[in-house]
């Protein structure tokens, strides 16, 4: 699906091998777009995202069983985040959720897949998310459908975004709050660390109209190149880039945010509860600062080395307007925070010095609650 916004003056398309092909990559100056996001406001075309709709009287109770999040009491006008996990608790798909006018909307990356509920289905045991949801419907009173042709996603970022949006619509101000947009669709507040972020899920036929009136009102056009740099700075992982086939929610900061530890009856729940209650994840996601004095950078999937020992995997690699070249990485928990690391594949001629940003290291939560309870029962 190619966005009509690519026809706008100054819109530069992403390379054909990019993950965000089909929408503007930038509008001439991606560093200036990042600075505008931190100081004023930018608008990003993310209309390549897949949008799924789940109407039906059992929509909440059914999704509560299918997804990792607690959803039975999700009120109208509220959203959250959720995951689809495989049977071993590994991350298949990340979704943003919005409960709006009797329908639960889920949006995710284009081409998102889930491990099939039936081993004979899908390629290599995987199938598109829409097909997975349909396969899990059984006799529930829900009617999940792919609504990507109906709705498109725009994202406004920056301290001035809410004020400009308020000229045209009610602006959600609380985390994950959802407000109806005039003419259809909704706005959703997405907690994005320090930068205010609001998703606009608009009727696809109104995409150009919304873009035009918001940019005319003062929001700077921006591309996915700047959006990705801001995402990495905010330590928000992306499935397929910052995850591998072993990644579990605890390693990615998604426990409590997108995966509920107390509810049962969803696929992968045993791993989520067990690691939370009696163990610790084997890896943790951190931000790496990369040596910017060389012309090469590591690529997604490259290893991270501590001496001659492989200790991690590189995820998203970006050029940040203040931090320089940085990357998200999954590192073994045993890797010292102050270790001198090398990121990249030396056999391919791309390896650079790297250092962990100490502020990105998740705080140690102490002994798991289940282990503490067991020690108390033993009288220790």
């Amino acid at each position: 699906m190619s966005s009509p916004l690519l026809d706008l003056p100054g819109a530069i398309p992403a390379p054909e091998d990019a993950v965000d092909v089909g929408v503007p990559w930038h509008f001439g100056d991606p560093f200036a777009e990042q600075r505008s996001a931190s100081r004023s406001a930018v608008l990003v075309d993310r209309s390549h995202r897949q949008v799924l709709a789940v109407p039906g009287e059992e929509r909440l109770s059914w999704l509560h069983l299918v997804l990792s999040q607690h959803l039975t009491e999700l009120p109208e006008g509220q959203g959250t985040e959720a995951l689809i996990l495989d049977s071993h608790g590994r991350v298949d798909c990340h979704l943003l959720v919005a409960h709006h006018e009797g329908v639960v909307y889920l949006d995710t990356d284009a081409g998102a897949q889930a491990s099939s509920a039936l081993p004979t289905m899908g390629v290599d045991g995987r199938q598109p998310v829409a097909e997975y949801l349909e396969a899990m419907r059984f006799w529930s009173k829900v009617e999940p459908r792919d609504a990507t042709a109906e709705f498109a996603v725009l994202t406004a970022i920056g301290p001035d975004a809410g004020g400009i949006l308020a000229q045209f619509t009610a602006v959600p101000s609380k985390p994950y709050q959802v407000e109806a947009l005039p003419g259809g669709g909704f706005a959703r507040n997405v907690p994005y660390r320090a930068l205010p972020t609001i998703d606009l899920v608009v009727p696809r036929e109104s995409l150009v109209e919304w873009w035009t009136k918001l940019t005319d009102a003062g929001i700077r056009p921006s591309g996915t190149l700047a959006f990705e740099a801001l995402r990495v700075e905010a330590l928000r992982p992306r499935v397929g880039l910052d995850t591998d086939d072993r990644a579990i929610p605890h390693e990615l900061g998604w426990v409590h945010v997108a995966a509920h530890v107390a509810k049962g009856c969803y696929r992968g729940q045993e791993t989520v509860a067990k690691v939370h209650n009696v163990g610790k994840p084997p890896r943790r996601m951190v931000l790496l600062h990369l040596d910017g004095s060389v012309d090469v950078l590591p690529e997604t999937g490259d290893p991270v080395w501590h001496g001659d020992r492989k200790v991690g995997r590189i995820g998203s690699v970006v050029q940040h307007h203040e931090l320089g070249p940085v990357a998200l990485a999954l590192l073994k928990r045993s890797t010292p925070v102050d270790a001198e690391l090398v990121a990249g594949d030396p056999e391919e001629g791309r390896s650079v010095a790297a250092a962990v940003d100490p502020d990105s290291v998740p705080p140690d939560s102490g002994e798991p609650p289940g282990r503490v309870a067991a020690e108390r029962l033993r009288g220790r």
Side-chain angles (χ1 to χ4, degrees):
M1 186 176 294
S2 181
S3 171
L5 300 179
L6 284 169
D7 296 330
L8 295 176
I12 306 299
E16 291 185 1
D17 60 348
V19 294
D20 290 314
V21 67
V23 294
W25 200 31
H26 62 84
F27 284 83
D29 193 340
F31 283 156
E33 293 165 22
Q34 291 183 45
R35 288 192 292 271
S36 293
S38 63
R39 300 170 185 173
S40 53
V42 300
L43 188 64
V44 184
D45 178 9
R46 302 173 70 213
S47 60
H48 57 324
R49 281 181 68 79
Q50 184 176 13
V51 180
L52 304 162
V54 184
E57 62 182 271
E58 294 179 352
R59 59 190 180 278
L60 293 179
S61 59
W62 177 71
L63 285 169
H64 184 81
L65 298 175
V66 175
L67 305 182
S68 64
Q69 188 58 278
H70 198 294
L71 294 170
T72 53
E73 298 174 0
L74 184 69
E76 280 273 357
Q78 186 65 26
T80 185
E81 299 181 44
L83 304 171
I84 297 176
L85 306 176
D86 72 7
S87 58
H88 300 285
R90 297 171 296 207
V91 176
D92 274 346
C93 176
H94 173 264
L95 307 119
L96 282 165
V97 182
H99 193 190
H100 175 62
E101 296 182 350
V103 179
V104 176
Y105 292 95
L106 314 168
D107 60 283
T108 186
D109 282 327
Q113 295 187 323
S115 302
S116 174
L118 301 174
T120 57
M121 292 181 61
V123 178
D124 297 327
R126 298 177 67 81
Q127 61 188 142
V129 169
E131 292 183 11
Y132 171 77
L133 293 177
E134 179 61 31
M136 295 296 290
R137 185 163 65 94
F138 302 110
W139 297 278
S140 298
K141 295 177 181 179
V142 291
E143 298 179 1
R145 71 178 188 275
D146 189 332
T148 308
E150 304 169 44
F151 295 99
V153 180
L154 297 172
T155 299
I157 307 172
D160 296 342
I164 297 174
L165 285 172
Q167 301 175 39
F168 307 99
T169 184
V171 178
S173 58
K174 298 179 180 179
Y176 304 109
Q177 181 183 354
V178 175
E179 292 281 0
L181 292 174
F186 56 88
R188 174 184 55 214
N189 183 294
V190 182
Y192 229 68
R193 225 176 172 187
L195 285 179
T197 300
I198 299 171
D199 286 339
L200 305 174
V201 181
V202 304
R204 189 164 289 273
E205 66 269 17
S206 302
L207 175 63
V208 174
E209 177 187 350
W210 271 104
W211 179 274
T212 301
K213 65 185 178 183
L214 290 173
T215 54
D216 285 350
I219 299 186
R220 180 175 186 148
S222 181
T224 56
L225 199 57
F227 180 89
E228 286 295 282
L230 299 170
R231 177 183 64 81
V232 168
E233 179 192 17
L235 301 176
R236 290 184 65 91
R238 186 169 176 181
V239 174
L241 294 179
D242 306 304
T243 65
D244 56 15
D245 59 5
R246 297 182 293 118
I248 58 176
H250 317 68
E251 299 175 329
L252 301 158
W254 274 332
V255 169
H256 302 302
V257 174
H260 201 276
V261 298
K263 77 159 191 164
C265 301
Y266 66 92
R267 192 171 70 171
Q269 179 268 341
E270 182 178 358
T271 297
V272 172
K274 184 175 181 179
V275 174
H276 175 73
N277 286 309
V278 299
K280 292 187 177 181
R283 301 178 296 180
R284 55 191 177 189
M285 187 185 70
V286 299
L287 182 72
L288 291 184
H289 292 273
L290 307 174
D291 182 0
S293 65
V294 294
D295 294 332
V296 296
L297 288 175
E299 296 180 0
T300 298
D302 279 351
V304 180
W305 303 88
H306 183 206
D308 60 356
R309 188 167 66 100
K310 186 162 68 173
V311 295
R313 173 194 182 275
I314 290 290
S316 302
V317 182
V318 299
Q319 291 279 359
H320 190 272
H321 72 107
E322 289 181 337
L323 303 176
V326 291
L328 293 178
L330 282 173
L331 297 185
K332 292 182 178 179
R333 290 184 58 86
S334 59
T335 305
V337 173
D338 59 354
E340 295 182 359
L341 305 174
V342 174
D345 188 341
E347 294 184 1
E348 295 293 332
R350 55 173 190 270
S351 59
V352 300
V356 174
D357 185 327
D359 292 335
S360 73
V361 178
D364 192 334
S365 58
E367 285 295 308
R371 190 177 299 172
V372 172
E375 294 296 325
R376 287 175 179 170
L377 287 174
R378 296 188 185 102
R380 298 178 184 176

